[in-house]
Amino acid sequence: MSFSRQLAEQMTLAKAYVIIAKEHNNLHLAWQLSKRIRSCQLLLSKAAMSAEPITVEEAGPIISGLSYLIFKAQDAHYDIATTMMTMKSHIQALEERTNAATVQSTFFGQLVAEVVPKSLHCLKVKLTNDWLKQMPLQNHAEEKRNSPRVVDNNLYHFCIFSDNVLATSVVVNSTVCNADHPKQLVFHIVTDGISYGSMQAWFLTNDFKGATVEVQNIEEFSWLNASYAPVTKQIHDQNSRASSFGGDQDMKVEPKLWNPKYLSLLNHLRFYIPEIYPLLEKIVFLDDDVIVQKDLTRLFSLDLHGNVNGAVETCLEGFHRYYKYINFSNPIISSKFDPQACGWAFGMNVFDLIAWRKENVTAQYHYWQEQNADQTLWKLGTLPPALLAFYGLTEPLDRRWHVLGLGYDMNIDDRLIDSAAVIHFNGNMKPWLKLAIGRYKPLWERYVNQSHPYYQDCVLS
């Protein structure tokens, strides 16, 4: 055994006896042990810095001194059983502190990720003020709503559901900038009542290369109620549950409950696309944290082989399989699904709405939401119920259509990013936040309209 290892092991044992000696009020022995431990630490540190082995002349006095004190501690009836019990209890305490710190880190990270920056709030306020004061804007919005282009199946239709004006603008801008024929694009945006005015004001006063942009208010969807959509009641219950926790109890709540995204009906609108757009036949769904880098109109000519959903599979990494998202100990699940089935990405999906209506996918989604009323099949989010509702109805797309991870993975290959049609900032490190990964942020910023006076007032000032 090397002197370094022998010293390290003796030091670990001596630390345990320091704790025991203090608990028995033998402060002099605790002091003596601590003094020897410091000498040991200094010698190990010196050896590590110099990369030279510890000699017997250096180690001998410390080893003999520690051995004497350890024997002295044992003579004081600090036997091995007591030592083991003490070490076990302290290890358990450290594990609890580590777990608490991890949960707390997740909690604060989630808070930082989901709190709307003041700059974006400022932008929304200024735009909402324009919407309320300028009647021509509201008249123009009504004209857009009644445009025949919004139901023309000869055009290319995209939908985005978001309350983030700037993020949505980047999605639209990046899509039209990389389209061969931007005037053939139609964007369908749905937002909430609070963001509706600002979203309308932004898209009515900015040009997107001739593309059509329609903005709708989710609060006008009278059919989206508890009697039709089970998720509306579940979200209400989850909101009540999340708001009922306070103080330290917050740390015990499912982390996703801290994220307003998971408690927003906007997040579940993706399951109602055929109801929102009853006259459309095909549409591409885009999350508000993506950037488009290639012409996406080719998606509309892909053969989905009768499937409803075209998506990029994510099980190239072995852990993105069904059993990771859904509780297969439940017989309802295990009897109907393959636990090794491949998961896929939500965020850039092409949907055949004719096939969707034929397969009645929304009814399947409702069925699984009702089965999961007690959250025993999965916790929160839209991917688990989507994996169930679209099971056997998803066409795998080439991986280059949708590259994920820019909101958490700092080591994505540049070549993969460059080749991607869509890159996705899924994760907490969103590109509009200060905690964004610096390496990727310019990819997003290049599509921000930084010349807009409100952007300069709110974000750049």
Side-chain angles (χ1 to χ4, degrees):
M1 181 185 296
S2 70
F3 288 122
S4 294
R5 183 176 174 186
Q6 190 174 351
L7 284 165
E9 290 181 356
Q10 274 200 315
M11 187 169 62
T12 300
L13 190 57
K15 286 179 178 179
Y17 281 123
V18 168
I19 295 167
I20 298 170
K22 287 181 178 178
E23 288 178 349
H24 287 76
N25 206 30
N26 193 341
L27 301 182
H28 182 67
L29 178 57
W31 177 81
Q32 288 180 303
L33 285 163
S34 297
K35 185 178 178 182
R36 289 290 182 179
I37 289 169
R38 283 193 294 274
S39 299
C40 185
Q41 289 171 330
L42 286 171
L43 180 56
L44 289 170
S45 176
K46 178 185 172 185
M49 291 289 289
S50 64
E52 295 290 336
I54 297 173
T55 65
V56 65
E57 290 79 12
E58 295 172 314
I62 297 175
I63 290 173
S64 61
L66 273 175
S67 297
Y68 168 76
L69 291 173
I70 289 169
F71 284 128
K72 187 175 179 181
Q74 290 172 346
D75 286 341
H77 308 293
Y78 307 154
D79 56 33
I80 194 65
T82 304
T83 306
M84 289 177 66
M85 288 296 294
T86 302
M87 292 182 75
K88 184 177 179 181
S89 66
H90 281 278
I91 288 169
Q92 188 174 357
L94 284 171
E95 287 177 348
E96 290 174 358
R97 287 168 60 187
T98 301
N99 290 337
T102 301
V103 171
Q104 193 174 50
S105 175
T106 303
F107 174 71
F108 289 123
Q110 195 71 63
L111 280 179
V112 171
E114 293 305 323
V115 171
V116 177
K118 286 194 294 185
S119 57
L120 296 188
H121 180 70
C122 164
L123 183 67
K124 183 180 286 190
V125 169
K126 285 178 177 288
L127 289 166
T128 302
N129 187 54
D130 284 353
W131 171 254
L132 294 174
K133 287 185 175 181
Q134 299 181 28
M135 189 56 66
L137 281 180
Q138 299 185 30
N139 295 334
H140 192 192
E142 194 62 29
E143 292 173 14
K144 284 282 186 83
R145 184 191 293 255
N146 296 319
S147 169
R149 291 173 59 85
V150 300
V151 293
D152 187 347
N153 281 298
N154 293 313
L155 301 176
Y156 302 104
H157 295 266
F158 301 84
C159 60
I160 309 162
F161 308 136
S162 174
D163 60 358
N164 187 323
V165 177
L166 195 61
T168 304
S169 175
V170 167
V171 177
V172 174
N173 196 32
S174 65
T175 307
V176 299
C177 284
N178 291 290
D180 293 337
H181 304 287
K183 290 182 180 179
Q184 295 181 5
L185 308 186
V186 181
F187 294 89
H188 304 267
I189 299 166
V190 182
T191 190
D192 57 24
I194 295 173
S195 307
Y196 178 71
S198 60
M199 199 76 78
Q200 283 282 25
W202 181 273
F203 284 100
L204 289 170
T205 56
N206 286 283
D207 177 62
F208 294 92
K209 297 193 173 184
T212 298
V213 182
E214 172 200 33
V215 179
Q216 292 178 273
N217 185 350
I218 191 175
E219 294 178 9
E220 294 180 5
F221 298 163
S222 57
W223 49 268
L224 194 61
N225 53 57
S227 62
Y228 174 63
V231 72
T232 57
K233 181 180 184 303
Q234 292 173 14
I235 286 175
H236 177 268
D237 292 344
Q238 288 162 1
N239 268 310
S240 299
R241 179 178 159 218
S243 62
S244 69
F245 288 95
D248 294 338
Q249 283 182 306
D250 282 344
M251 301 305 175
K252 301 175 184 177
V253 183
E254 171 69 26
K256 284 183 178 180
L257 273 175
W258 304 326
N259 186 335
K261 170 184 172 182
Y262 293 97
L263 302 179
S264 167
L265 201 53
L266 282 174
N267 197 41
H268 291 262
L269 270 191
R270 61 193 73 191
F271 294 103
Y272 298 98
I273 292 174
E275 282 90 337
I276 303 170
Y277 313 110
L279 299 179
L280 296 185
E281 297 174 356
K282 189 169 280 190
I283 199 165
V284 169
F285 166 76
L286 296 171
D287 255 336
D288 67 0
D289 54 355
V290 307
I291 298 170
V292 176
Q293 302 187 128
K294 312 283 184 186
D295 182 15
L296 294 188
T297 57
R298 289 185 294 123
L299 284 168
F300 291 82
S301 59
L302 291 180
D303 186 357
L304 299 184
H305 300 98
N307 286 308
V308 177
N309 171 31
V312 169
E313 292 184 329
T314 54
C315 61
L316 293 174
E317 304 87 355
F319 50 87
H320 286 147
R321 297 188 181 272
Y322 269 48
Y323 73 90
K324 285 292 184 179
Y325 300 99
I326 304 159
N327 178 15
F328 272 85
S329 67
N330 189 301
I332 299 175
I333 297 294
S334 58
S335 64
K336 295 178 181 290
F337 302 96
D338 176 7
Q340 293 296 328
C342 194
W344 44 266
F346 235 153
M348 194 294 297
N349 306 77
V350 54
F351 292 120
D352 183 333
L353 300 184
I354 296 173
W356 184 317
R357 296 180 186 105
K358 179 182 175 183
E359 297 291 345
N360 210 353
V361 173
T362 302
Q364 285 293 312
Y365 164 70
H366 285 166
Y367 170 79
W368 289 113
Q369 282 289 353
E370 288 168 346
Q371 293 296 314
N372 192 46
D374 58 358
Q375 294 189 10
T376 57
L377 302 186
W378 70 88
K379 291 297 182 185
L380 290 172
T382 53
L383 183 56
L387 294 176
L388 302 180
F390 290 98
Y391 186 69
L393 300 172
T394 297
E395 179 71 15
L397 302 182
D398 187 295
R399 188 185 183 194
R400 289 170 295 182
W401 278 112
H402 187 188
V403 169
L404 298 101
L406 280 79
Y408 68 88
D409 186 351
M410 301 185 186
N411 299 305
I412 303 173
D413 192 319
D414 285 331
R415 292 168 296 181
L416 186 60
I417 292 174
D418 292 341
S419 68
V422 172
I423 52 176
H424 197 164
F425 286 82
N426 57 311
N428 285 341
M429 299 178 182
K430 301 300 185 192
W432 54 84
L433 299 175
K434 287 184 178 179
L435 52 73
I437 298 172
R439 177 183 160 211
Y440 307 135
K441 195 165 184 173
L443 298 171
W444 186 82
E445 288 178 331
R446 72 174 66 164
Y447 295 108
V448 174
N449 182 2
Q450 299 188 27
S451 64
H452 194 284
Y454 290 170
Y455 182 84
Q456 293 182 344
D457 288 347
C458 293
V459 180
L460 298 183
S461 61

